[in-house]
Amino acid sequence: MADQYLLSIDNGTQSVRALLFDLNGNLAAKAQVHLQAYFSDHPGWAEHDADGYWKAVGQACQQLWASTDIPRSAIKGVAVTTQRGTVVNLDRDGKVLRPAITWLDQRRVGKQKPLSFLWRTAFKLARVSGTIEYFRREAEINWIAEHQPDIWARTDKYLLLSGFLNFRLCGRHVDSIGSQVAYLPFDYKRHKWAGARDWKWEALAVRKEMLPELVEPGTVIGAIAAAAAEATGIPEGTPLVAAAADKACEVIGAGALEPHIACLSYGTTATINTTTKKYVEVTPLIPPYPAAIPGAYSTEVQIFRGYWMVNWFKEQFGHFEQMAGAQQGMAPEAMFDLLVNEVPPGSMGLMLQPYWSPGIRTPGPEAKGAMIGFGDVHTRAHMYRAILEGLAYALREGKERIEKRSGVPVTELRVAGGGSQSDAAMQLTADIFGLPAARAHVYETSGLGAAIAIAAGLGLHKDFDSATRAMTRPGRVFQPIAANRQIYDKLYRRVYLKMYQQLQPMYQEIADITGYPEQL
């Protein structure tokens, strides 16, 4: 086992990372290439040069080899994990036709041609017509077909970023079931492309032959091709294994294999996930995403802007901490932890509802963010702590929704993502949830989840269960503080849970008056 290593390529929003793990889940080597998250030619658009992603993969891999003495011959397999919902159009020769539309993109297509009478009637009776129209208007497929018909006519393959990188690596149009999180004709219950009579084919301007072959996580989908070997330095012929999307990989990389273990992801989008073999719609009529292990579902509740709000605060109000950190040789994050610790639990009555971006159903498309409870005692420190507390309240609410729908109590928390590196955020998470909160043993949990898929798929561990148990373990565990827990529990139940219901009519009035957020 000592001379066997697994290469994970993690293409996130902010960077591409090439990561080497051993079979015990230890990070042996790492290289990172930072990305401009997106460019925007119009307000609300968010695009990225797709070939730029591929170039960054090559750079990250080449930097990796230069930074380690581990021989490339020790690499037993490769897997890709990527940001979700970013799409790429390829022509018949495999060339990129337009910039990738990223998951951050906010464009919407205009009013769509009505669906057939039978589907319209069924959706009206089910009271989901608005949700279906939201799906159609958000779908990048429909925007490209309507606004760039020449590009759509030349599109031979329409791929998620994961499928695009798999194609560049092995020359085959194959993607993992675990990566299918997007506006696509995917059957989330049966984990395959939707059946021929499914409404999604009528709602989306795409044909089945434009989509890749789907395989389960852990499937060997090909071998590193000669051109990819030249670009990346990965030995030609190395097996390429299907992994899953970054959030799904993060869940198993944090060790959250069973439904009583919840994984909190404190990333750009903050999420709470559990893994289950049972199909559970946490929000009615919104399906669970595929997990990073075959045949399983990820019961996810997400706060779309999540820890983006932390970065927003730092950019708008955190210049002093950033300068002071630079002067004292401390990371800005450490300075912000000091800021949080200046404030008592509950932020002296300042409460935040973290709906900086609207939702589909819970919250609805009218939702906006709110801070209530301001007084003359409040400072930037109170605002910052209230942001962290508001995110934890929202994720606790997600936990309770998952428990109610699944019937399985959550008894353990694993925390991953950039925010998990903050001791202050970890402690208030334990206090708000009233549960021990364990930091994952490595920061690169998405990459570790992809490495687990390699180990299971190549038989280096017996299966996903044994691979996950061998390669993950809790890091530092934060225990809830009883006095803090009591304060948070009262604020959560008596204030936070009532905020959206009380403010929702005013959010709708704001939208009606200002036109923002845009309504269906």
Side-chain angles (χ1 to χ4, degrees):
M1 290 176 62
D3 61 349
Q4 298 183 92
Y5 292 89
L6 315 169
L7 173 60
S8 297
I9 296 170
D10 186 349
N11 191 157
T13 305
Q14 306 290 339
S15 69
V16 173
R17 297 179 296 283
L19 308 161
L20 279 183
F21 292 93
D22 66 22
L23 291 181
N24 293 316
N26 298 309
L27 181 61
K30 170 182 176 177
Q32 184 172 21
V33 174
H34 291 280
L35 300 170
Q36 177 187 0
Y38 64 89
F39 66 84
S40 179
D41 289 335
H42 298 275
W45 290 20
E47 300 185 336
H48 199 285
D49 174 22
D51 283 321
Y53 284 132
W54 171 240
K55 182 179 179 181
V57 168
Q59 291 172 339
C61 288
Q62 295 290 2
Q63 288 179 21
L64 182 72
W65 311 130
S67 69
T68 180
D69 294 329
I70 295 172
R72 301 181 204 184
S73 59
I75 311 306
K76 299 304 176 185
V78 185
V80 166
T81 182
T82 70
Q83 55 184 277
R84 307 184 299 192
T86 292
V87 295
V88 180
N89 297 64
L90 299 182
D91 67 12
R92 290 185 179 181
D93 297 322
K95 295 181 180 178
V96 174
L97 287 169
R98 67 173 321 283
I101 300 178
T102 79
W103 68 275
L104 291 163
D105 195 275
Q106 297 178 38
R107 79 189 74 187
R108 286 180 175 179
V109 73
K111 193 70 175 178
Q112 296 289 282
K113 177 183 175 182
L115 296 174
S116 63
F117 175 76
L118 287 176
W119 282 121
R120 292 202 315 272
T121 302
F123 293 143
K124 185 176 181 180
L125 290 172
R127 298 181 180 179
V128 295
S129 297
T131 302
I132 301 303
E133 284 309 303
Y134 180 94
F135 175 91
R136 298 181 73 193
R137 292 182 66 185
E138 289 286 328
E140 298 85 1
I141 288 169
N142 291 344
W143 190 93
I144 299 170
E146 179 176 315
H147 292 274
Q148 298 177 332
D150 56 330
I151 288 176
W152 192 246
R154 293 162 55 202
T155 298
D156 181 64
K157 293 295 179 185
Y158 184 79
L159 307 172
L160 293 177
L161 178 57
S162 51
F164 170 67
L165 295 183
N166 286 338
F167 171 65
R168 284 283 189 262
L169 286 166
C170 76
R172 297 185 64 211
H173 293 299
V174 184
D175 202 5
S176 173
I177 288 168
S179 296
Q180 304 313 300
V181 180
Y183 296 103
L184 292 169
F186 182 70
D187 185 332
Y188 283 91
K189 189 170 187 178
R190 295 173 179 81
H191 287 175
K192 60 182 182 180
W193 294 126
R197 297 182 180 180
D198 194 289
W199 63 271
K200 297 184 191 73
W201 295 109
E202 189 179 334
L204 300 172
V206 67
R207 304 182 309 277
K208 189 172 183 180
E209 59 268 23
M210 298 169 71
L211 302 171
E213 176 188 350
L214 295 181
V215 297
E216 291 186 331
T219 302
V220 177
I221 61 177
I224 300 301
E230 183 177 355
T232 64
I234 304 169
E236 182 178 356
T238 304
L240 179 64
V241 180
D246 54 4
K247 291 290 185 186
C249 283
E250 195 170 52
V251 174
I252 64 167
L257 261 188
E258 300 171 41
H260 72 276
I261 305 173
C263 176
L264 304 182
S265 174
Y266 282 163
T268 305
T269 295
T271 60
I272 180 167
N273 295 69
T274 64
T275 303
T276 176
K277 295 287 187 177
K278 179 182 176 183
Y279 180 85
V280 176
E281 293 179 353
V282 177
T283 302
L285 303 175
I286 303 296
Y289 294 143
I293 57 177
Y297 303 94
S298 188
T299 54
E300 177 173 300
V301 174
Q302 64 178 248
I303 311 302
F304 183 68
R305 283 296 178 181
Y307 262 68
W308 172 92
M309 286 194 293
V310 172
N311 291 326
W312 168 82
F313 177 88
K314 291 175 182 178
E315 290 174 5
Q316 300 302 321
F317 306 107
H319 302 103
F320 174 79
E321 282 72 28
Q322 294 186 54
M323 288 189 297
Q327 291 171 357
Q328 298 177 34
M330 294 177 64
E333 289 74 17
M335 297 299 296
F336 282 103
D337 264 13
L338 295 176
L339 197 66
V340 174
N341 292 330
E342 291 176 8
V343 176
S347 301
M348 298 181 74
L350 195 60
M351 298 282 291
L352 174 128
Q353 183 179 268
Y355 298 156
W356 256 235
S357 290
I360 303 174
R361 293 176 68 86
T362 308
E366 81 298 325
K368 297 178 75 68
M371 270 192 179
I372 64 171
F374 275 106
D376 59 4
V377 299
H378 290 125
T379 65
R380 294 178 310 112
H382 295 84
M383 289 180 63
Y384 186 61
R385 186 176 185 108
I387 289 172
L388 299 181
E389 290 173 342
L391 287 168
Y393 288 139
L395 293 173
R396 174 176 167 177
E397 185 181 14
K399 175 188 84 80
E400 292 174 359
R401 285 167 51 197
I402 291 170
E403 290 173 325
K404 182 178 179 181
R405 298 288 293 185
S406 68
V408 180
V410 169
T411 59
E412 297 182 40
L413 299 179
R414 305 287 171 84
V415 189
S420 69
Q421 301 309 294
S422 163
D423 287 357
M426 290 294 299
Q427 185 59 58
L428 69 83
T429 297
D431 294 341
I432 287 174
F433 278 78
L435 290 170
R439 182 182 283 150
H441 84 276
V442 294
Y443 173 70
E444 299 290 355
T445 43
S446 294
L448 179 55
I452 288 169
I454 302 170
L458 297 180
L460 301 173
H461 285 298
K462 181 181 177 182
D463 51 27
F464 273 86
D465 184 78
S466 58
T468 303
R469 296 183 191 284
M471 297 173 69
T472 68
R473 49 203 168 271
R476 181 179 171 186
V477 179
F478 293 76
Q479 298 291 337
I481 298 169
N484 297 352
R485 178 181 178 181
Q486 289 179 5
I487 293 170
Y488 283 131
D489 201 57
K490 291 176 182 177
L491 287 170
Y492 172 72
R493 297 193 179 280
R494 292 161 57 179
V495 182
Y496 182 83
L497 288 178
K498 298 178 181 179
M499 285 178 69
Y500 180 57
Q501 181 181 2
Q502 296 289 329
L503 292 170
Q504 185 180 27
M506 286 181 278
Y507 291 155
Q508 188 63 61
E509 294 289 354
I510 291 171
D512 291 343
I513 294 166
T514 67
Y516 181 82
E518 178 188 358
Q519 300 297 292
L520 290 173

